[in-house]
Amino acid sequence: MARIGVTTTVPVEIILAAGHVPVDLNNIFITHPEANRMIDMAEDAGYPRNLCGWIKGLYGVVVGQKDIDTVIAVTQGDCSNTHALMETFTLAGIDTIPFAYPYDRDYDLLKLQMEKLMSSLGTDWEQVMTVKRRLDGLRGKIAELDRMTWQDNVVSGAENHLYQVCCSDFNGDATLFETQLDAFMAEAAKRNEFTEDLRIGYIGVPPIFTDLYDYMESMGARVVFNEVQRQFAMPFGIEDLVEQYRHYTYPYGVFDRIEDIQAEIERRNLDGIIHYVQSFCFRQIEDMIFRQKLDVPVLTVEGDRPGKLDARTRLRLDSFLEMLR
Amino acid sequence: MFCGLDLGSRSVKLVLLDETGVKESRVFATVDFYRQYGRRTEEGLVVDFAAIGAGGVEKVVATGYGRNTLDLAGVEVIAELKAHTKGAVWQTGLSDFTLLDLGGQDSKVIKVKKGRMVDFATNDKCAASTGRYLENMAAVLGVSLEELSSHSENPVELSATCAIFGESELIGRIIEGHSVPTLSAGVNYTIFKRIKPMLNSLHSEVLVFTGGVALGQGVRKLLAAELNSEVVVPPQPQLNGAIGCAAYAMEKRG
Ligand code: SF4
C-alpha cells in the first residue's frame, strides 16, 4: 500500500483499485498550518517568485514531507507548469507517473491513459469497476449535499466547498469519509434555512484564501455553487468510467465549462459570480471569456499565497455585493 | 451639517456638507490621522470625531480601508465604490456615465446607469497608474507633481508595466536627451495606456474623472483626445469619495 500523490483530480478509482492511498497534494498543502513555508521551500530551491503558489506548495509538500511514494502528475488538462514540477520531482528523486487529459476529449485516448495508469499501478478494469460502483453511491450523496446547499439552504458555501474538494482523494479513506459525510448530512438536515439575501456562484480553481466563504457570509452573501469543486466530485451518475471523466469539464476547453456554469446560474438562481484567479496562472486569460459569455455580474478576485483576504480584496468584494443589492 | 470620511490608503479626507455645498474639507496623511485621532480599545480602533471637528454634525458616513477593521461608533460605513458613485452623481448632477478615479494607490473604473453602479473594475496590486506612480516619476524628473501633470503633447514612448521599473526606463529616456515636457507627457500617457482596457470594457459617452490625478491637465487632455467620450472633471475631484459619503448621509436623513 503506497501513498500516491496527485497534483489534481485523476481517476481515483484506479489508485484505490490497486490498493493504494490517494493523496491530493493540494489539500495537504492548503490545510497545512505552515503552508507558506512550503512555498518558501520551493523558492529557496530555486522556484521563481512569479509562479503560481499552488505549484510551489505542491513541490514543498512532496519534497519537504517525504512521505509520498509516487506522484501522478497531470501534464495535460490541468496546468502546463506541472511538466516542470514533475521534472523537479525527478531531480529530487521522487517517482512520477504522467497522466494527460486529451484536449479534444477523445474517448480512445482517454481510455488509453487510464489503462496505462492501471498497468503502472498494477490493477485491471474489473477491479476498477468494482471500486467505481462503490464510489457511485458516495458521489450520489455528495450530489445530495450540493442540492441541500442551493435548494434546502442548509449547507454553507464553505462546507459545500470542503466536501466536494475532498472527492479528489476521499481523504485517502473512502469509508471513513463516507461515515463523516453521513453524520454531517444528518446534522445539516436539521438546521434552519440560511437567510443570506445574495446567492453567489464561485468559479475557477479553489481559492488559496482561507476565509473567502466566511467573509462573504459575514457580508450577507452565500456561495451556493462551487464550479470546479463540483466537477471534482463528479456527481453525474454515469455508468461508463471513461465517459465520466470525459464529462468532467475542468481539464478540457473553457467553453464547456461555460455551458455548465450557465446552466447552474439558471438552476440555482444566482445573483452574481466570483471568478477566482490565481496570481501568475495562465487561466487568468480565460477571465476575458467568462466576462463576455456569462450574463450575470462577474467579480474577478486574485490570490497569491495562502492566508486571509487582504484589505483590497475585501473592499472589492464589499463593493460587488453592494452592487448586486 | 453632514460629515463624509474617506479612509484612503495614503490619506484620509474629511468633508462637511450641507444643502448648499461643501462647507469645509480637510486632508490628513493616513498614518497621522490614526496616530492623532485613533485610539485602541477592546473592540478595535475608535476614532475621536469631536477632535477632528466632526463632533456636532448630524450624521457621519465613512468609507475606505478602515471598513472592516475599524469600530466607528455611531458611524455608518458604506462600500467604497458606492461612495465614489454617489460623490460623482452629486458633484456633476449626471446619472449615466463611466467614472474613472485615479487615487494615491488605487485606480477604479465604475459604470453608472440611472445613478447606480452597474459594473466596475479596479487595479489589482499594481500602482502604475496612480498618484504614487506620478510622484515617483516627478521625483526622477526633478519637477513638481503639478509640472509633471500638466503635459500631454508629443509623449515620449514608455512602457511602464511596473511603477518601480518605470523609473529606470524613464532615466534611460532622460539620458537620450528628451525634454522634460515630452518626458512628462510620456509618463501621463502610460497612465492612459494602463487604464484604457478597463475604460474600453466599461465605456460610456461621458467620462467623469476624479481622484488626485484628475487635478492635473495632462491625463485629462489625453483622455479627451484618445477616447470617444466627453470628459467631465468635477470641482473637487480628489474629495469625491468623502463627498459621496456626506451626500449619502444627507440623503439618508430623509
Ligand atoms: S492555479 Fe493555474 S498555474 Fe496554478 S497550478 Fe492551477 S492551473 Fe497551474
Short mmCIF file of all heavy atoms in Angstrom, two decimals, chain B residues 74-110:
data_model
loop_
_atom_site.label_atom_id
_atom_site.label_comp_id
_atom_site.label_asym_id
_atom_site.label_seq_id
_atom_site.Cartn_x
_atom_site.Cartn_y
_atom_site.Cartn_z
N GLY B 74 -21.21 54.95 16.11
CA GLY B 74 -22.17 55.94 15.63
C GLY B 74 -21.98 56.34 14.18
O GLY B 74 -22.56 57.31 13.71
N VAL B 75 -21.15 55.60 13.46
CA VAL B 75 -20.86 55.96 12.08
C VAL B 75 -21.37 54.87 11.16
O VAL B 75 -21.14 53.69 11.40
CB VAL B 75 -19.34 56.11 11.88
CG1 VAL B 75 -19.01 56.39 10.42
CG2 VAL B 75 -18.81 57.22 12.75
N GLU B 76 -22.05 55.27 10.09
CA GLU B 76 -22.44 54.26 9.11
C GLU B 76 -21.31 54.15 8.09
O GLU B 76 -20.75 55.14 7.65
CB GLU B 76 -23.74 54.68 8.42
CG GLU B 76 -24.18 53.63 7.42
CD GLU B 76 -25.56 53.89 6.83
OE1 GLU B 76 -26.28 54.76 7.35
OE2 GLU B 76 -25.89 53.20 5.85
N VAL B 77 -20.99 52.91 7.76
CA VAL B 77 -19.89 52.69 6.81
C VAL B 77 -20.48 52.15 5.51
O VAL B 77 -21.29 51.23 5.53
CB VAL B 77 -18.88 51.70 7.41
CG1 VAL B 77 -17.70 51.53 6.47
CG2 VAL B 77 -18.39 52.19 8.76
N ILE B 78 -20.08 52.73 4.38
CA ILE B 78 -20.60 52.24 3.10
C ILE B 78 -19.44 51.77 2.21
O ILE B 78 -18.29 52.16 2.42
CB ILE B 78 -21.46 53.30 2.36
CG1 ILE B 78 -20.65 54.55 2.01
CG2 ILE B 78 -22.69 53.66 3.19
CD1 ILE B 78 -21.42 55.54 1.13
N ALA B 79 -19.76 50.93 1.24
CA ALA B 79 -18.73 50.39 0.35
C ALA B 79 -18.10 51.52 -0.46
O ALA B 79 -18.76 52.49 -0.85
CB ALA B 79 -19.34 49.34 -0.58
N GLU B 80 -16.81 51.39 -0.71
CA GLU B 80 -16.07 52.48 -1.32
C GLU B 80 -16.58 52.88 -2.72
O GLU B 80 -16.70 54.05 -3.04
CB GLU B 80 -14.59 52.10 -1.40
CG GLU B 80 -13.78 53.27 -1.91
CD GLU B 80 -12.29 53.10 -1.73
OE1 GLU B 80 -11.88 52.16 -1.04
OE2 GLU B 80 -11.56 53.92 -2.29
N LEU B 81 -16.86 51.88 -3.53
CA LEU B 81 -17.28 52.23 -4.89
C LEU B 81 -18.65 52.89 -4.89
O LEU B 81 -18.96 53.71 -5.74
CB LEU B 81 -17.25 51.01 -5.80
CG LEU B 81 -15.90 50.30 -5.92
CD1 LEU B 81 -15.90 49.33 -7.08
CD2 LEU B 81 -14.72 51.25 -6.04
N LYS B 82 -19.43 52.55 -3.91
CA LYS B 82 -20.73 53.20 -3.76
C LYS B 82 -20.54 54.67 -3.38
O LYS B 82 -21.20 55.55 -3.93
CB LYS B 82 -21.53 52.48 -2.67
CG LYS B 82 -22.88 53.09 -2.39
CD LYS B 82 -23.63 52.24 -1.39
CE LYS B 82 -24.98 52.85 -1.08
NZ LYS B 82 -25.87 51.86 -0.47
N ALA B 83 -19.60 54.91 -2.47
CA ALA B 83 -19.30 56.29 -2.07
C ALA B 83 -18.85 57.11 -3.28
O ALA B 83 -19.28 58.25 -3.48
CB ALA B 83 -18.24 56.30 -0.98
N HIS B 84 -17.99 56.52 -4.09
CA HIS B 84 -17.49 57.24 -5.25
C HIS B 84 -18.60 57.51 -6.28
O HIS B 84 -18.64 58.56 -6.90
CB HIS B 84 -16.31 56.50 -5.87
CG HIS B 84 -15.04 56.76 -5.11
ND1 HIS B 84 -14.22 57.83 -5.40
CD2 HIS B 84 -14.51 56.15 -4.05
CE1 HIS B 84 -13.22 57.84 -4.53
NE2 HIS B 84 -13.36 56.82 -3.70
N THR B 85 -19.46 56.53 -6.44
CA THR B 85 -20.57 56.71 -7.37
C THR B 85 -21.46 57.87 -6.90
O THR B 85 -21.78 58.78 -7.65
CB THR B 85 -21.41 55.42 -7.46
OG1 THR B 85 -20.54 54.36 -7.84
CG2 THR B 85 -22.53 55.54 -8.46
N LYS B 86 -21.82 57.85 -5.62
CA LYS B 86 -22.64 58.91 -5.03
C LYS B 86 -21.98 60.28 -5.19
O LYS B 86 -22.64 61.25 -5.54
CB LYS B 86 -22.83 58.67 -3.53
CG LYS B 86 -23.80 57.59 -3.19
CD LYS B 86 -25.11 58.21 -2.69
CE LYS B 86 -26.16 57.13 -2.47
NZ LYS B 86 -27.06 56.95 -3.57
N GLY B 87 -20.68 60.31 -4.90
CA GLY B 87 -19.95 61.57 -5.00
C GLY B 87 -20.00 62.14 -6.40
O GLY B 87 -20.25 63.34 -6.60
N ALA B 88 -19.80 61.28 -7.39
CA ALA B 88 -19.78 61.75 -8.77
C ALA B 88 -21.17 62.21 -9.21
O ALA B 88 -21.31 63.21 -9.92
CB ALA B 88 -19.26 60.65 -9.69
N VAL B 89 -22.19 61.49 -8.79
CA VAL B 89 -23.56 61.89 -9.14
C VAL B 89 -23.87 63.24 -8.50
O VAL B 89 -24.38 64.15 -9.14
CB VAL B 89 -24.57 60.80 -8.68
CG1 VAL B 89 -26.01 61.31 -8.78
CG2 VAL B 89 -24.40 59.53 -9.49
N TRP B 90 -23.50 63.36 -7.23
CA TRP B 90 -23.79 64.60 -6.51
C TRP B 90 -23.03 65.79 -7.10
O TRP B 90 -23.58 66.86 -7.29
CB TRP B 90 -23.42 64.43 -5.03
CG TRP B 90 -24.03 65.47 -4.14
CD1 TRP B 90 -25.27 65.45 -3.56
CD2 TRP B 90 -23.42 66.70 -3.73
NE1 TRP B 90 -25.46 66.58 -2.83
CE2 TRP B 90 -24.35 67.37 -2.91
CE3 TRP B 90 -22.19 67.31 -3.99
CZ2 TRP B 90 -24.08 68.61 -2.33
CZ3 TRP B 90 -21.91 68.55 -3.43
CH2 TRP B 90 -22.85 69.18 -2.60
N GLN B 91 -21.75 65.57 -7.41
CA GLN B 91 -20.93 66.69 -7.90
C GLN B 91 -21.27 67.12 -9.31
O GLN B 91 -21.11 68.28 -9.67
CB GLN B 91 -19.44 66.32 -7.85
CG GLN B 91 -18.85 66.29 -6.45
CD GLN B 91 -17.34 66.52 -6.47
OE1 GLN B 91 -16.89 67.65 -6.64
NE2 GLN B 91 -16.57 65.47 -6.33
N THR B 92 -21.68 66.17 -10.17
CA THR B 92 -21.89 66.52 -11.58
C THR B 92 -23.37 66.66 -11.94
O THR B 92 -23.69 67.22 -12.99
CB THR B 92 -21.31 65.44 -12.51
OG1 THR B 92 -22.01 64.21 -12.27
CG2 THR B 92 -19.83 65.22 -12.27
N GLY B 93 -24.25 66.07 -11.13
CA GLY B 93 -25.67 66.08 -11.48
C GLY B 93 -25.99 65.10 -12.61
O GLY B 93 -27.11 65.06 -13.11
N LEU B 94 -25.01 64.30 -13.03
CA LEU B 94 -25.24 63.32 -14.10
C LEU B 94 -25.72 62.00 -13.51
O LEU B 94 -25.48 61.72 -12.33
CB LEU B 94 -23.93 63.08 -14.87
CG LEU B 94 -23.33 64.28 -15.60
CD1 LEU B 94 -21.89 63.98 -16.00
CD2 LEU B 94 -24.17 64.65 -16.81
N SER B 95 -26.36 61.17 -14.35
CA SER B 95 -26.75 59.87 -13.82
C SER B 95 -26.31 58.70 -14.70
O SER B 95 -26.39 57.55 -14.28
CB SER B 95 -28.26 59.83 -13.58
OG SER B 95 -28.92 60.20 -14.76
N ASP B 96 -25.85 58.96 -15.91
CA ASP B 96 -25.33 57.89 -16.76
C ASP B 96 -23.93 58.27 -17.24
O ASP B 96 -23.77 59.21 -18.01
CB ASP B 96 -26.24 57.68 -17.98
CG ASP B 96 -27.60 57.19 -17.57
OD1 ASP B 96 -27.74 55.98 -17.39
OD2 ASP B 96 -28.51 58.03 -17.41
N PHE B 97 -22.95 57.55 -16.75
CA PHE B 97 -21.57 57.87 -17.13
C PHE B 97 -20.64 56.75 -16.68
O PHE B 97 -21.07 55.81 -16.00
CB PHE B 97 -21.12 59.20 -16.47
CG PHE B 97 -21.29 59.23 -14.97
CD1 PHE B 97 -20.28 58.79 -14.12
CD2 PHE B 97 -22.48 59.70 -14.39
CE1 PHE B 97 -20.43 58.82 -12.74
CE2 PHE B 97 -22.63 59.72 -13.01
CZ PHE B 97 -21.61 59.28 -12.18
N THR B 98 -19.38 56.88 -17.10
CA THR B 98 -18.36 55.99 -16.56
C THR B 98 -17.48 56.84 -15.66
O THR B 98 -17.09 57.94 -16.05
CB THR B 98 -17.53 55.34 -17.68
OG1 THR B 98 -18.40 54.50 -18.43
CG2 THR B 98 -16.39 54.50 -17.14
N LEU B 99 -17.22 56.34 -14.47
CA LEU B 99 -16.40 57.09 -13.53
C LEU B 99 -15.00 56.51 -13.51
O LEU B 99 -14.83 55.29 -13.39
CB LEU B 99 -17.02 56.99 -12.13
CG LEU B 99 -16.21 57.59 -10.97
CD1 LEU B 99 -16.04 59.09 -11.14
CD2 LEU B 99 -16.91 57.30 -9.65
N LEU B 100 -14.02 57.38 -13.67
CA LEU B 100 -12.63 56.94 -13.54
C LEU B 100 -12.05 57.66 -12.33
O LEU B 100 -12.06 58.90 -12.29
CB LEU B 100 -11.84 57.31 -14.80
CG LEU B 100 -10.31 57.22 -14.68
CD1 LEU B 100 -9.85 55.78 -14.45
CD2 LEU B 100 -9.65 57.78 -15.94
N ASP B 101 -11.59 56.92 -11.36
CA ASP B 101 -10.99 57.54 -10.19
C ASP B 101 -9.54 57.07 -10.09
O ASP B 101 -9.28 55.87 -9.96
CB ASP B 101 -11.76 57.15 -8.92
CG ASP B 101 -11.19 57.84 -7.68
OD1 ASP B 101 -10.25 57.30 -7.07
OD2 ASP B 101 -11.67 58.95 -7.35
N LEU B 102 -8.62 58.00 -10.18
CA LEU B 102 -7.21 57.66 -10.01
C LEU B 102 -6.72 58.29 -8.73
O LEU B 102 -6.56 59.51 -8.64
CB LEU B 102 -6.38 58.14 -11.21
CG LEU B 102 -6.79 57.56 -12.58
CD1 LEU B 102 -5.89 58.11 -13.68
CD2 LEU B 102 -6.73 56.05 -12.59
N GLY B 103 -6.51 57.47 -7.73
CA GLY B 103 -6.13 57.98 -6.42
C GLY B 103 -4.68 57.71 -6.11
O GLY B 103 -3.87 57.47 -7.00
N GLY B 104 -4.36 57.72 -4.82
CA GLY B 104 -2.98 57.55 -4.38
C GLY B 104 -2.39 56.22 -4.82
O GLY B 104 -1.31 56.17 -5.40
N GLN B 105 -3.09 55.14 -4.53
CA GLN B 105 -2.58 53.82 -4.90
C GLN B 105 -3.56 53.00 -5.71
O GLN B 105 -3.22 51.93 -6.19
CB GLN B 105 -2.26 53.01 -3.62
CG GLN B 105 -0.93 53.37 -3.02
CD GLN B 105 -0.61 52.51 -1.81
OE1 GLN B 105 -1.27 51.51 -1.55
NE2 GLN B 105 0.40 52.91 -1.07
N ASP B 106 -4.78 53.48 -5.83
CA ASP B 106 -5.81 52.70 -6.49
C ASP B 106 -6.32 53.37 -7.74
O ASP B 106 -6.43 54.58 -7.79
CB ASP B 106 -7.03 52.53 -5.56
CG ASP B 106 -6.65 51.85 -4.27
OD1 ASP B 106 -6.47 50.64 -4.30
OD2 ASP B 106 -6.50 52.56 -3.26
N SER B 107 -6.67 52.55 -8.71
CA SER B 107 -7.44 53.08 -9.83
C SER B 107 -8.74 52.30 -9.90
O SER B 107 -8.75 51.10 -9.70
CB SER B 107 -6.70 52.98 -11.15
OG SER B 107 -5.53 52.25 -11.03
N LYS B 108 -9.81 53.03 -10.16
CA LYS B 108 -11.12 52.38 -10.24
C LYS B 108 -11.85 52.89 -11.46
O LYS B 108 -11.75 54.07 -11.79
CB LYS B 108 -12.02 52.76 -9.05
CG LYS B 108 -11.37 52.85 -7.72
CD LYS B 108 -12.40 53.33 -6.69
CE LYS B 108 -11.78 53.46 -5.32
NZ LYS B 108 -10.68 54.43 -5.23
N VAL B 109 -12.59 52.02 -12.09
CA VAL B 109 -13.48 52.42 -13.16
C VAL B 109 -14.85 51.86 -12.81
O VAL B 109 -14.98 50.68 -12.50
CB VAL B 109 -13.02 51.88 -14.53
CG1 VAL B 109 -13.98 52.31 -15.62
CG2 VAL B 109 -11.61 52.38 -14.85
N ILE B 110 -15.85 52.74 -12.79
CA ILE B 110 -17.19 52.32 -12.39
C ILE B 110 -18.17 52.74 -13.48
O ILE B 110 -18.16 53.88 -13.92
CB ILE B 110 -17.61 53.00 -11.06
CG1 ILE B 110 -16.58 52.73 -9.97
CG2 ILE B 110 -19.00 52.52 -10.61
CD1 ILE B 110 -16.81 53.53 -8.69
#
